[in-house]
Amino acid sequence: MKRIAVIFIILLIGVFLIAQENPTRMQHMREQRVTEERQKPDVGRMQHEMGLGVLNRLNLSEQQREQVRTFQHTHQLEMIDLRAEITKLRLQIRQAMQDNDFRNAIRLNDQLYQKEGEMARKGIELREKIHQVLTPEQREQMKQMPRTHGEGGNCEDCDCRD
């Protein structure tokens, strides 16, 4: 009877230790994912540099403002769809890994990185479209403006985090 009690206590302690370790491990995985996300090229920052703060200082004509708004609106709609697809792919990869379906996980992972590359490309294309709307003087003026976002500073003309 004492053996059963000792085994039961050992099992109970083991379950308790596993339960304690799992949240810590999950938190570590979340932190690692956030760190990886921060290290990726931030298309949003590139858009922001081409966004309201910089563009307001360029004295755009009403026609230029309307073109930029149209470009940005279309871009935002595309980004919503791409982010949704990326979220779905991440969930599918997680399920494939849980099911030990590694071939499918690899295929889905390739699709994931293709979508992330598409997002980055569309951000660059948006910047190019906006650049084409600017006059040569406005382009030169924009080159002279300080860029604080890539250097970890604060933007003077907006309420962004960086």
Side-chain angles (χ1 to χ4, degrees):
M1 188 69 163
K2 286 184 180 184
R3 282 186 183 174
I4 294 174
V6 170
I7 291 172
F8 179 74
I9 290 173
I10 291 172
L11 286 175
L12 193 59
I13 291 172
V15 169
F16 178 75
L17 291 175
I18 290 171
Q20 289 296 324
E21 180 183 338
N22 201 23
T24 306
R25 192 164 145 210
M26 293 302 286
Q27 180 64 26
H28 175 70
M29 290 171 67
R30 276 190 213 105
E31 290 171 0
Q32 184 177 3
R33 193 172 344 151
V34 168
T35 301
E36 289 170 2
E37 290 294 322
R38 285 184 183 153
Q39 292 173 349
K40 290 181 183 176
D42 193 345
V43 175
R45 283 190 185 170
M46 291 189 309
Q47 292 170 345
H48 185 74
E49 286 179 4
M50 293 295 292
L52 300 174
V54 170
L55 294 175
N56 282 339
R57 290 183 265 165
L58 293 177
N59 299 321
L60 299 178
S61 69
E62 192 53 42
Q63 181 182 7
Q64 287 175 312
R65 285 183 190 281
E66 189 55 39
Q67 286 179 304
V68 169
R69 277 190 213 114
T70 301
F71 295 153
Q72 289 177 332
H73 178 76
T74 302
H75 179 77
Q76 288 172 342
L77 292 173
E78 291 172 342
M79 291 301 102
I80 289 168
D81 291 339
L82 282 170
R83 284 187 195 106
E85 290 176 31
I86 286 171
T87 300
K88 288 177 185 178
L89 285 167
R90 286 185 176 143
L91 289 172
Q92 291 172 342
I93 290 169
R94 187 176 303 139
Q95 185 61 50
M97 292 298 290
Q98 288 174 352
D99 294 343
N100 294 327
D101 187 358
F102 301 115
R103 289 180 192 257
N104 190 31
I106 290 170
R107 184 183 59 79
L108 292 167
N109 190 60
D110 291 344
Q111 290 177 20
L112 171 69
Y113 283 99
Q114 180 183 10
K115 293 293 180 187
E116 288 177 341
E118 189 176 337
M119 278 183 68
R121 188 184 76 246
K122 288 187 179 290
I124 293 168
E125 289 171 353
L126 172 65
R127 189 173 180 137
E128 179 185 27
K129 286 178 184 177
I130 292 172
H131 184 77
Q132 291 172 351
V133 167
L134 302 177
T135 65
E137 295 82 20
Q138 289 169 328
R139 290 179 193 151
E140 188 58 37
Q141 188 180 359
M142 196 169 88
K143 282 183 185 176
Q144 304 303 319
M145 291 182 186
R147 301 242 199 276
T148 59
H149 287 280
E151 300 160 12
N154 290 322
C155 184
E156 299 165 6
D157 294 339
C158 68
D159 295 326
C160 67
R161 294 182 302 251
D162 302 282

